[in-house]
Amino acid sequence: MKAELRDILTSIRASYLRELRAYFATPLAYVFVAIFLMLVGVFTWEASRFFDTGLADLQPFFYWHPWLYMIFLPALSMRLWADEIAYSTSELLFSLPVSLFGLATGKLLAAWNVAALSLVLTFPMWITVNYLGAPDNGAIAITYLTSLLMAGAYLSIGAAMSSLFSSQVLAYIAGILVAFVFTAAGWPMLVGAISGLLGAAAGDLVAQFSFLTYFETAQRGVLELRALLYFGGVILAWLSLNTIWVANKRAFAG
């Protein structure tokens, strides 16, 4: 048991450092961070008409997070396994005596690290609202924490989809489609339509699977245990699927 745990931790560390170097050795991480910061600024200041609200809080900023994550985070994770398969480095990787769960976890953590860096670099917005008024910084901290967990959930979906394809484009499209399902399930318009067709209980049941449902609670400054368990469960479930799908490829390659 101790030896297995040591193998997993060793695999996580090796995979994490390798992927993190790969992100910053190419323009990918820099371009991702730059585009994310630019768009989150445009949506916050312009689309949400921040200065017209007359409120010193970050609600207009956090509102767009699920939708931006749905589009951008699959782009960050699409190369994690697709590149290994496309360039046949997966054959070498699969031949090593390493834990596949550790490899998948390390890759996910590296992508999550880049997403976390993007979130940290939005700190000028927090400074701005504190300069303009007296926001509830506790609620802002809770929403940032939940947003980071939600980013991990989106990335775990994208990483799992990446293990199914040798093409980054196909991995990206598949990642967006699955992420859309987990996002739109809590969209009020869709929930209202399902409730109208199948009843309110059916609409509520579908909404319970959506990232929006749990993130909206955090935006009100409420840190719920069920939200932490939900996002943690989603990450673990997709990480497990990722490991199973990679294990199948290794078995097929062997």
Side-chain angles (χ1 to χ4, degrees):
M1 183 66 183
K2 186 182 286 186
E4 289 178 1
L5 181 60
R6 188 170 58 247
D7 287 344
I8 290 174
L9 293 177
T10 301
S11 301
I12 289 174
R13 183 176 183 278
S15 178
Y16 169 76
L17 293 176
R18 177 174 176 263
E19 291 301 329
L20 201 60
R21 279 195 295 268
Y23 272 120
F24 289 99
T26 65
L28 178 61
Y30 304 102
V31 171
F32 172 82
V33 172
I35 292 177
F36 176 79
L37 292 177
M38 181 185 70
L39 286 181
V40 82
V42 168
F43 280 104
T44 301
W45 306 125
E46 298 297 330
S48 294
R49 304 183 70 80
F50 174 82
F51 291 106
D52 293 342
T53 64
L55 298 173
D57 64 43
L58 287 180
Q59 287 287 341
F61 163 68
F62 288 120
Y63 173 81
W64 297 103
H65 281 208
W67 303 101
L68 289 174
Y69 288 171
M70 182 187 78
I71 295 171
F72 284 101
L73 292 185
L76 194 61
S77 57
M78 65 185 181
R79 54 165 293 280
L80 287 176
W81 290 102
D83 270 5
E84 305 276 13
I85 300 168
Y87 297 116
S88 298
T89 53
S90 58
E91 295 175 7
L92 174 62
L93 205 59
F94 293 159
S95 68
L96 298 174
V98 294
S99 159
L100 290 182
F101 181 77
L103 286 179
T105 304
K107 284 175 176 287
L108 175 62
L109 289 177
W112 206 351
N113 197 321
V114 177
L117 174 64
S118 303
L119 267 183
V120 168
L121 291 178
T122 62
F123 73 91
M125 295 190 177
W126 173 74
I127 292 175
T128 300
V129 295
N130 275 274
Y131 176 77
L132 294 174
D136 183 346
N137 283 317
I140 290 175
I142 287 172
T143 316
Y144 261 115
L145 172 64
T146 310
S147 179
L148 182 60
L149 280 174
M150 184 170 62
Y154 278 109
L155 285 170
S156 67
I157 292 172
M161 290 297 107
S162 175
S163 69
L164 294 177
F165 301 97
S166 60
S167 163
Q168 290 191 26
V169 175
L170 292 178
Y172 176 67
I173 293 171
I176 281 191
L177 290 175
V178 177
F180 176 77
V181 171
F182 276 88
T183 306
W187 196 19
M189 187 177 294
L190 181 64
V191 173
I194 294 173
S195 298
L197 288 172
L198 304 173
D204 290 341
L205 179 63
V206 172
Q208 293 305 309
F209 291 95
S210 173
F211 295 169
L212 289 182
T213 302
Y214 300 92
F215 189 58
E216 283 173 357
T217 304
Q219 285 181 274
R220 295 196 297 272
V222 179
L223 182 60
E224 289 188 324
L225 178 60
R226 66 168 191 152
L228 301 180
L229 293 175
Y230 172 76
F231 286 120
V234 169
I235 292 168
L236 186 59
W238 283 100
L239 191 57
S240 299
L241 282 176
N242 190 344
T243 305
I244 291 169
W245 289 339
V246 171
N248 286 339
K249 285 189 181 297
R250 182 164 73 174
F252 182 76

